[in-house]
């Protein structure tokens, strides 16, 4: 009877080790799958956005310039994460728009233009993205309404007449044109 208990104890321990080993293996496989399928990057982005949100609330209430510097640092981190995500999942329009808008906020108009254009290749009818692309080009051109800006603004307004970004750029373009015409008229006098 004593030897039977020894044998049962050993087989019970072997079973426990087997179950424990399977649980660890399952955790490792799920972690790898989670990371490979892009969920890990999405989680990182969400965490970074949450941190940025907290800092923005703090900045609005206190106005501390150190907090503003932290927000810029978080935005740079966010861009790095979004670039990785965009490379792995270029079809993820939402993340590419977030990347382009964050780049705009940091003044990286070249990066913003690249990703707004990528989104428009996938979703060519998005008036808001057309207007934001126009704005990025306008800012990169040194606040000049170059022909592509006019074209994008016209296309955006044709699709969405109340688009505030496109209306703003249209107004700036009209003002610049009026100022230029007025200057020409004053030279003719």
């Amino acid at each position: 009877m004593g030897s039977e208990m020894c044998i049962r104890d050993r087989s019970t321990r072997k079973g426990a080790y087997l179950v424990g080993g399977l649980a660890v293996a399952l955790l490792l496989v799920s972690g790898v799958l989670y990371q490979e399928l892009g969920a890990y990057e999405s989680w990182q982005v969400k965490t970074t956005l949450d941190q940025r949100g907290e800092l923005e609330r703090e900045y609005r209430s206190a106005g501390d310039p150190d907090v503003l510097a932290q927000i810029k640092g978080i935005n740079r981190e966010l861009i790095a994460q979004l670039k990785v995500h965009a490379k792995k999942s270029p079809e993820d329009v939402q993340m590419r728009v977030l990347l382009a808008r964050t780049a705009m906020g940091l003044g990286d108009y070249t990066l913003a233009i690249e990703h707004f254009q990528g989104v428009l290749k996938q979703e060519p009818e998005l008036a808001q993205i057309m207007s934001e692309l126009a704005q990025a080009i306008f800012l990169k051109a040194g606040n000049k309404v170059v022909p592509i800006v006019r074209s994008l603004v016209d296309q955006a307004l044709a699709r969405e007449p109340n688009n505030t970004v496109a209306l703003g750029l249209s107004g700036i373009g009209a003002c610049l044109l009026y100022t230029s015409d007025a200057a020409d008229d004053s030279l003719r006098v």
Side-chain angles (χ1 to χ4, degrees), residues 34-69:
Y34 188 74
Q35 190 164 359
E36 287 303 311
L37 296 176
Y40 179 71
E41 284 89 9
S42 296
W43 175 79
Q44 278 186 311
V45 167
K46 184 196 175 314
T47 302
T48 304
L49 285 172
D50 289 346
Q51 289 173 344
R52 183 176 76 178
E54 288 174 28
L55 287 170
E56 287 171 344
R57 283 187 291 283
E58 184 180 332
Y59 180 73
R60 280 192 297 271
S61 67
D64 184 354
D66 290 337
V67 174
L68 189 58

Side-chain angles (χ1 to χ4, degrees), residues 5-184:
M5 285 188 86
C6 249
I7 293 172
R8 265 194 241 144
D9 284 346
R10 279 190 220 147
S11 64
T12 304
R13 273 188 259 145
K14 283 183 183 177
Y17 289 137
L18 181 61
V19 169
L22 286 173
V24 168
L26 182 62
L27 282 172
L28 288 173
V29 168
S30 351
V32 169
L33 283 174
Y34 188 74
Q35 190 164 359
E36 287 303 311
L37 296 176
Y40 179 71
E41 284 89 9
S42 296
W43 175 79
Q44 278 186 311
V45 167
K46 184 196 175 314
T47 302
T48 304
L49 285 172
D50 289 346
Q51 289 173 344
R52 183 176 76 178
E54 288 174 28
L55 287 170
E56 287 171 344
R57 283 187 291 283
E58 184 180 332
Y59 180 73
R60 280 192 297 271
S61 67
D64 184 354
D66 290 337
V67 174
L68 189 58
Q70 289 176 14
I71 292 170
K72 285 182 181 178
I74 292 268
N75 281 337
R76 283 190 283 278
E77 182 182 326
L78 183 59
I79 283 178
Q81 292 169 355
L82 289 167
K83 281 180 174 179
V84 169
H85 187 80
K87 193 172 256 183
K88 277 188 172 181
S89 304
E91 74 288 345
D92 189 340
V93 169
Q94 187 176 5
M95 290 294 190
R96 291 188 81 177
V97 169
L98 180 58
L99 172 54
R101 288 177 177 163
T102 305
M104 285 277 292
L106 288 176
D108 189 344
Y109 305 121
T110 302
L111 183 63
I113 290 167
E114 174 190 339
H115 287 279
F116 281 137
Q117 287 174 332
V119 169
L120 282 177
K121 282 181 185 169
Q122 291 174 264
E123 302 282 340
E125 298 298 315
L126 294 176
Q128 183 62 34
I129 301 305
M130 286 176 195
S131 63
E132 291 182 63
L133 173 58
Q135 184 178 39
I137 294 169
F138 170 80
L139 292 169
K140 184 175 181 191
N143 297 337
K144 291 187 176 91
V145 181
V146 294
I148 186 68
V149 170
R150 281 198 182 103
S151 173
L152 286 164
V153 165
D154 290 345
Q155 290 176 59
L157 289 173
R159 288 168 177 78
E160 196 177 287
N162 292 326
N163 184 297
T164 56
V165 175
L167 286 169
L169 288 169
S170 180
I172 290 169
C175 183
L176 291 174
L177 184 61
Y178 174 77
T179 305
S180 173
D181 288 346
D184 288 347

